[in-house]
Amino acid sequence: MRKLSILTVLSASLLIVACKSKKVIVDATKEESRITLDNRVLVNGILDNQLSFNTFSAKAKSAVAINKDNYDATLNIKIKNQEAIWISITTVFGIEAARVLITPTRFRMMNRINGTYIDEPFAFLHQFASEEITYGNLQAMMVGNMIDQALTYSNEAKKGDLGYLLSGFKNDLNFLVRTDDNFRVTNCSLSTYNQEHQVNTDYSDFALIGKHPVPKDIRLTANSSAVKLELQLKYNRIALNEAVEMPFTIPSKYKPLSGIR
């Protein structure tokens, strides 16, 4: 139950993102591998559609399936650009089950159901993800932006029937970014050696927020030998550049969650 609780919170926070791998590029599908482009042309096209903000706040309905277990919850999400991600997870009964605070240097989570908490350096997350995963990656995935590594470590860009593809790797992280014909990111795939671990994130139902497209529907699937995860986020309210508060005080009676390393 302890392990399942950790995985549930991490998946709700979009933190289960790619296990360690060798340098293997994700293969594009045949019909999408038509015309090779200059990497910078595609990167610039995607950058023109990236969401720019000081603060991002949203409310989302979420559905999480971990192996054979299913959960429904409401997430209240607040982001201060390049500073912090704050998430409050509420059950269908309106009870706050957990609260998460992520910064570029630290991961903090408190479980209000059993009175436990985690307060660790950001590197704690590398137990569940590649060491190449950064705070910027997590923030990008939550708003549908391109991951950091694709800006400088992409080595192949193509135009196909379904849009554009940008792929590459950095150390143990292999990535494939797909866009539609309007350069909106529609998919981000992270892959491990021999496809033993796969994480796939799809973005759809775009809305114009601040003149930039933002996906209101985010679906993440992750498969490994130990865990099969499916997560859907459906944003029903999005606001930019509003004043946000991120209250996070761990009660003195809470106990550190043991057995997490």
Side-chain angles (χ1 to χ4, degrees), residues 23 48 50 53 99 104 115 119 131 173 179 193 222 224 229 247 259:
K23 295 180 180 178
D48 287 341
Q50 297 289 271
F53 62 92
R99 191 173 291 188
D119 187 357
E131 293 182 1
L173 182 66
T179 80
Y193 180 59
S224 71
L229 166 71

Side-chain angles (χ1 to χ4, degrees), residues 116 159 175:
T116 58
K159 173 69 175 75
F175 62 86

Side-chain angles (χ1 to χ4, degrees), residues 3 6 12 18 22 55 93 103 108 116 147 166 172 178 188 190 197 228:
K3 182 178 180 181
I6 295 172
K22 297 181 181 180
T55 66
F93 302 106
T103 69
R108 306 177 76 195
T116 58
I147 61 173
L166 187 69
D172 67 349
R178 302 174 188 265
C188 179
L190 306 177
H197 300 274
K228 180 179 180 181

Side-chain angles (χ1 to χ4, degrees), residues 37-48 146 154 156-159 163-167 177-180 183:
L37 303 175
D38 180 82
N39 290 15
R40 182 49 52 183
V41 172
L42 181 51
V43 168
N44 287 341
I46 297 174
L47 285 175
D48 287 341
M146 183 166 55
S154 57
E156 190 170 34
K158 295 182 178 181
K159 173 69 175 75
Y164 300 89
L165 297 92
L166 187 69
S167 62
V177 177
R178 302 174 188 265
T179 80
D180 60 16
F183 299 106

